[in-house]
Amino acid sequence: MTNTVIEPFKIKSVEPINFTTREYREKAMREAFYNLFLLKADDVLIDLLTDSGTAAMSSKQWAAIMDGDESYAGSRSFFKFEKVVRDLTGFKFIIPTHQGRAAEKILFTVVGGPGKIIPSNTHFDTTRANVEFSGAEAVDLPVPVALETDRRSDFKGNIDLERLENLIKKVGVANIPLSILTVTNNSVGGQPVSMANIRETRALLNKYGIPLLLDACRFAENAYFIKLREPGYRDKSVREIAVEMFSYADGCTMSAKKDALVNIGGFLALNDSTIAEKARSLLIMTEGFPTYGGLAGRDLDAMAQGLTEVLDEDYLKYRIRSVEYFGDKLEKAGVPVLVPTGGHAVFIDARRFLPHVPPQQYPGQALAVEMYVEGGIRSVEIGSVMFGREVEGKFVSANLELVRLAIPRRVYTQSHVDYAAEVIIEVFKRRDRIPGYKITYEPPYLRHFTAHFEPVVEETAQV
Ligand SMILES: *Cc1c(COP(=O)(O)O)cnc(C)c1O
């Protein structure tokens, strides 16, 4: 019996990656103000910045691209795309957008606004930014175990139903236009939400007449975790599980750059005709005509094909296992990783990795910089750079200081992952000599993309 889970594809087209020296990377990091988003991608060897828009498309998707119909209105590609999304989600109104955040912007322009509260298991950063930009408040209600990075639990992505009900009672139904479940829950480590939790959320919201939306970016990975872990789902197909997940919701936002296996695209899907009509008007103003929504016709074809391929269970088995393999390797070497590993990424707990760097010196940023300098690995901080705030002049840290190593879909092989693990283990060996960072420039929203940093030299020298 063999037990190695292999890549369920062979490679038809390759793209070289660039080797650089440590001195070169030190200089590149300085010139990028220690912000990994500001590096040139050509200066990165293994790019684990994000799994968003970085997938390798299949030969069938490339063939679908050739078949795209670029008609301005009523494109054949749209109807193909619409059918695939409707068959999967059951939603009535399917509105294509150029990516997930465009769907969020439109949605919260329609339902958000001052005084409104949007509860979620955890809002992703662009979701939170779009909620807040509308004047509404984004409230995260993860289950408490989500914050314990060293505790294994099957569904750490769940929403805390008790806190959700308390919030509804406190602020009143009239102020909650909808609630969102992010599947999988990216910001707490790509952790899945159980079917039971989705079902119970639906039941609770029904009691108050509040709609439920899914942030469905990684619906297929979530469905596969349900199959693996939740009683009663082992013999169901992942497709059936995904269909059931969507059946409890009134709509979804989707970044097709994740589980639709494309490099650009997204959509907003709704059952409510009033909201859908307002959304379409905004779409025409900012994205484009409703049958292309900020995309080329061929992109819609590639999405339709990707949404079909992503439910292939050999693919999902490889996908989830290859991420877990990376996490296991680091865990065995003593690196503090969030367990269990999520669907799209390995998360390192930077607070435990660098206990001498306080949250206000951004331990996640410090660790991300070192992994790049050590071996050309690009990751992203998901901690106080992304979610920290100033409240009345005082620093308020994020709940967790994480570094995410996101795995692009179908892009890297096992030896790339082995190399990345070796680099991280080298950094771990010299962890007590790694300095903290301070921010020297930041914009008002989504600062992690463009902020500038500098190492804090004196203070860490004393530790
Ligand atoms: C990526 C992502 C988004 C935003 O999608 P974009 O396509 O990047 O605009 C929203 N929610 C979650 C959970 C995501 O991972």
Side-chain angles (χ1 to χ4, degrees), residues 62-118:
W62 284 110
I65 288 238
M66 280 308 294
D67 200 38
D69 172 11
E70 304 306 335
S71 303
Y72 189 95
S75 153
R76 173 180 73 236
S77 301
F78 173 75
F79 294 113
K80 206 181 205 178
F81 160 77
E82 186 189 43
K83 180 173 183 336
V84 168
V85 176
R86 200 175 275 150
D87 287 351
L88 174 67
T89 65
F91 300 132
K92 291 194 191 116
F93 305 102
I94 318 293
I95 301 170
T97 57
H98 78 276
Q99 58 185 90
R101 71 196 65 185
E104 293 166 351
K105 172 82 168 92
I106 289 170
L107 177 67
F108 294 114
T109 303
V110 177
V111 305
K116 297 285 197 298
I117 312 275
I118 314 287

Side-chain angles (χ1 to χ4, degrees), residues 50-53 97-104 122-128 130 181-187 215-218 253-258 263-267 344 404 409 449:
T50 177
D51 64 320
S52 178
T97 57
H98 78 276
Q99 58 185 90
R101 71 196 65 185
E104 293 166 351
T122 313
H123 292 272
F124 185 61
D125 59 344
T126 59
T127 322
R128 170 171 288 278
N130 276 302
L181 283 177
T182 310
V183 297
T184 57
N185 193 342
N186 187 350
S187 305
D215 176 340
C217 298
R218 299 180 182 81
T253 56
M254 172 81 188
S255 169
K257 300 171 74 170
K258 324 294 173 37
N263 306 117
I264 195 72
F267 59 86
H344 68 294
R404 186 184 72 183
R409 294 172 179 77
F449 289 130

